[in-house]
């Protein structure tokens, strides 16, 4: 049993993680912009909401500190952000780009940054970073989302070494995908697409999306929290092996595979 802070826990995967981990016996603190518990919470569930809005940096230090005060400490942070969206980068609204990077990269890093002091005081502290199988590969139509995921994963890889002397383990969770990313390209107000972007839209539509079942993602997070020697990365789902192969490919070969995947 651990005291676990879950971010973006008011909806979607974050809510599933908060409720699922509470069901596994953990003492869960659910960070959300509204300070409301996730929907579907049952009486007696060991879950307490705190106000922590990744899109508003000023709420993060206080939210993390409050999370640590609820149960008298903090053993783990599950850093979850859910703004990723597929759209041609040129057509992406500037405010949407700023919010995506704030929630899925900067905000999650700010949570981790402020939580380190609390985790150092715990025995065998854990950081679990929620990513997805395809997030760090540089997919067409997902430039901003991939940049955020790749940047966060790179930061966790470096931080894993920095925090090793303090017995803080870091695991990255990759599912397929483990977020509320919206597949399908929003064109409202953007006018008529030229041929190249239309081919991209058709490719994304044909590619489709397999979303990993929330229970499977909760299971991977549970392993990351309880394994005596947690893995740096937990991957599951139909894209896991495909992603591994792409990462081992030469850049030109990987780009060609991705172009073929989207029929570009």
């Amino acid at each position: 049993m651990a005291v676990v802070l879950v971010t973006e826990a008011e909806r979607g995967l974050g809510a599933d993680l908060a409720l699922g981990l509470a069901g596994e016996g953990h003492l869960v603190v659910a960070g959300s912009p509204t300070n409301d518990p996730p929907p579907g919470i049952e009486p007696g569930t060991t879950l307490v909401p705190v106000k922590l809005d990744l899109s508003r940096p000023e709420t993060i230090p206080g939210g993390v500190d409050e999370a640590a005060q609820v149960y008298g400490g903090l053993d783990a942070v599950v850093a979850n952000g859910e703004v990723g969206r597929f759209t041609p980068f040129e057509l992406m609204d500037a405010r949407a780009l700023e919010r995506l990077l704030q929630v899925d990269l900067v905000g999650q890093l700010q949570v981790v940054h402020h939580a380190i002091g609390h985790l150092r005081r715990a025995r065998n502290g854990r950081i679990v970073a929620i990513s997805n199988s395809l997030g760090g590969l540089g997919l067409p139509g997902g430039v901003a989302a991939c940049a955020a995921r790749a940047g966060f994963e790179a930061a966790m890889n470096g931080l894993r070494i920095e925090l090793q002397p303090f017995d803080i383990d870091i695991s990255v969770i990759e599912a397929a995908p483990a977020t509320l990313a919206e597949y399908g390209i929003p064109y409202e107000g953007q006018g008529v697409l030229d041929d190249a972007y239309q081919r991209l839209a058709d490719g994304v539509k044909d590619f489709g999306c397999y979303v990993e079942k929330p229970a499977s993602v909760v299971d991977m997070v549970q392993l990351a929290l309880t394994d005596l020697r947690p893995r740096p990365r937990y991957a599951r789902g139909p894209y896991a092996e495909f992603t591994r192969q792409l990462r081992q490919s030469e850049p030109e070969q990987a780009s060609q595979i991705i172009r073929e995947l989207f029929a570009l």
Side-chain angles (χ1 to χ4, degrees):
M1 179 180 70
V3 178
V4 183
L5 168 63
V6 180
T7 60
E8 293 288 287
E10 77 280 7
R11 61 185 174 87
L13 179 66
D16 291 322
L17 287 169
L19 294 172
L21 293 175
E24 294 286 347
H26 297 289
L27 304 176
V28 175
V29 183
S32 74
T34 60
N35 198 28
D36 292 331
I41 187 171
E42 298 180 359
T45 302
T46 54
L47 185 152
V48 177
V50 299
K51 188 174 182 61
L52 197 164
D53 187 347
L54 294 183
S55 68
R56 297 177 58 197
E58 68 275 12
T59 73
I60 292 175
V64 173
D65 288 344
E66 184 179 351
Q69 293 168 5
V70 170
Y71 296 110
L74 192 62
D75 299 311
V77 172
V78 178
N80 171 61
E82 304 187 50
V83 181
R85 186 170 191 171
F86 270 81
T87 188
F89 190 64
E90 180 186 0
L91 304 183
M92 191 171 190
D93 179 80
R95 287 174 294 182
L97 172 61
E98 182 179 357
R99 184 172 186 274
L100 185 152
L101 294 176
Q102 171 59 41
V103 172
D104 285 359
L105 177 58
V106 178
Q108 291 191 86
L109 285 175
Q110 289 169 329
V111 167
V112 170
H113 175 261
H114 202 74
I116 289 173
H118 297 292
L119 296 176
R120 286 184 61 176
R121 290 187 283 273
R123 178 176 296 181
N124 299 321
R126 305 283 170 101
I127 297 170
V128 182
I130 304 298
S131 185
N132 62 59
S133 296
L134 303 176
L137 294 176
L139 298 180
V143 171
C146 290
R149 292 302 184 202
F152 192 52
E153 288 193 31
M156 294 302 100
N157 290 338
L159 192 60
R160 185 180 295 113
I161 300 171
E162 285 188 20
L163 298 183
Q164 187 175 4
F166 310 111
D167 293 324
I168 298 175
D169 292 304
I170 298 179
S171 297
V172 174
I173 304 297
E174 291 190 347
T179 72
L180 287 179
E182 296 181 32
Y183 283 71
I185 302 181
Y187 299 127
E188 296 83 356
Q190 302 291 353
V192 178
L193 293 176
D194 62 26
D195 290 342
Y197 285 155
Q198 187 59 60
R199 287 197 300 272
L200 174 59
D202 294 340
V204 170
K205 181 178 179 181
D206 292 341
F207 173 68
C209 175
Y210 175 91
V211 179
E212 192 72 17
K213 294 180 180 179
S216 177
V217 184
V218 172
D219 181 56
M220 284 190 284
V221 173
Q222 170 70 350
L223 289 173
L225 293 175
T226 58
D227 280 352
L228 293 179
R229 300 183 67 178
R231 304 176 199 167
R233 187 179 306 275
Y234 291 83
R236 186 174 295 177
Y239 301 144
E241 177 61 21
F242 170 72
T243 302
R244 187 187 68 80
Q245 293 175 354
L246 276 181
R247 284 182 168 147
Q248 294 177 348
S249 302
E250 294 295 328
E252 290 186 6
Q253 181 184 9
S255 294
Q256 181 59 35
I257 293 172
I258 291 172
R259 283 194 292 269
E260 293 174 358
L261 182 69
F262 287 90
L264 296 175

